[in-house]
Amino acid sequence: GPLFHAPWPIARTRRVSTTEVHSMEFGIERLNLDDSSTDALALKEARAELKKVREEAEMLTGEGWIVSIAYAIQYRIHDARTWTYEHSAPQETIRRLAQESIRRIAAKRTTEDILVGNSMGFRQATEAELAKLLASAGLGVELIGVELQSVHAPPAVHSAYRNVASA
């Protein structure tokens, strides 16, 4: 039969790739703060963004110490219908679940285990936790992996921690 399609404001076509790998980064500082070439308002906004990025990287260990973990996740949409129509903000949901999973795993580990211990085990535990959370949320996505970019003490105490660790 004839195919008919309503014009733009009534009907829209939205294509969702099920083969593309998407990535989200957490705690990775990609801001270039150059005080000389930036106006005051833009500099203030950039500093606020940098503070937000640093805060999302900081988390508590099982001992109550703070560590800074920069990481990235990769995922693929496997059910375009669920992704598009069943959730109002699926990317924000993934972001929150990723943060929840890594914080939950960090809270079960000691500071030493996270900073100098078994990073592969920490990454694998985080992957397993996040995959479980994504499946229970029913977002229509498949977790490809979690990559730890850097794991260290927060910037304010990082140099002091290095001095103690090297002594």
Side-chain angles (χ1 to χ4, degrees):
L3 294 176
F4 118 84
H5 180 73
W8 167 71
I10 299 166
R12 293 183 303 182
T13 302
R14 187 169 158 201
R15 295 181 189 264
V16 177
S17 173
T18 58
T19 58
E20 180 182 352
V21 175
H22 301 272
S23 181
M24 280 187 189
E25 294 179 338
F26 302 86
I28 298 173
E29 298 177 16
R30 298 209 185 274
L31 301 172
N32 185 12
L33 293 179
D34 182 11
D35 293 354
S36 62
S37 66
T38 311
D39 67 351
L41 184 58
L43 187 60
K44 181 181 177 184
E45 290 172 356
R47 285 189 177 146
E49 181 65 25
L50 181 61
K51 182 180 178 193
K52 180 182 166 196
V53 166
R54 285 184 176 164
E55 286 174 353
E56 79 180 1
E58 292 178 354
M59 50 200 77
L60 289 173
T61 65
E63 307 157 318
W65 293 93
I66 297 174
V67 294
S68 182
I69 303 175
Y71 61 102
I73 66 163
Q74 293 82 34
Y75 64 94
R76 181 181 302 119
I77 300 168
H78 70 79
D79 184 350
R81 184 183 185 292
T82 301
W83 174 262
T84 305
Y85 298 113
E86 305 232 352
H87 296 276
S88 61
Q91 289 175 324
E92 183 60 29
T93 303
I94 291 173
R95 185 165 209 80
R96 290 176 191 265
L97 291 175
Q99 289 176 332
E100 178 184 340
S101 65
I102 199 161
R103 290 175 192 281
R104 194 179 282 181
I105 299 302
K108 294 177 184 177
R109 308 276 173 133
T110 64
T111 306
E112 186 175 338
D113 187 37
I114 293 171
L115 293 176
V116 294
N118 182 5
S119 65
M120 181 67 85
F122 181 76
R123 185 186 62 76
Q124 289 172 339
T126 302
E127 274 184 8
E129 180 72 18
L130 181 54
K132 183 177 79 173
L133 290 172
L134 289 173
S136 68
L139 293 168
V141 298
E142 163 195 8
L143 181 66
I144 304 298
V146 174
E147 295 298 323
L148 300 178
Q149 303 292 325
S150 70
V151 180
H152 54 79
V157 297
H158 183 64
S159 61
Y161 180 81
R162 288 185 111 172
N163 291 339
V164 170
S166 64

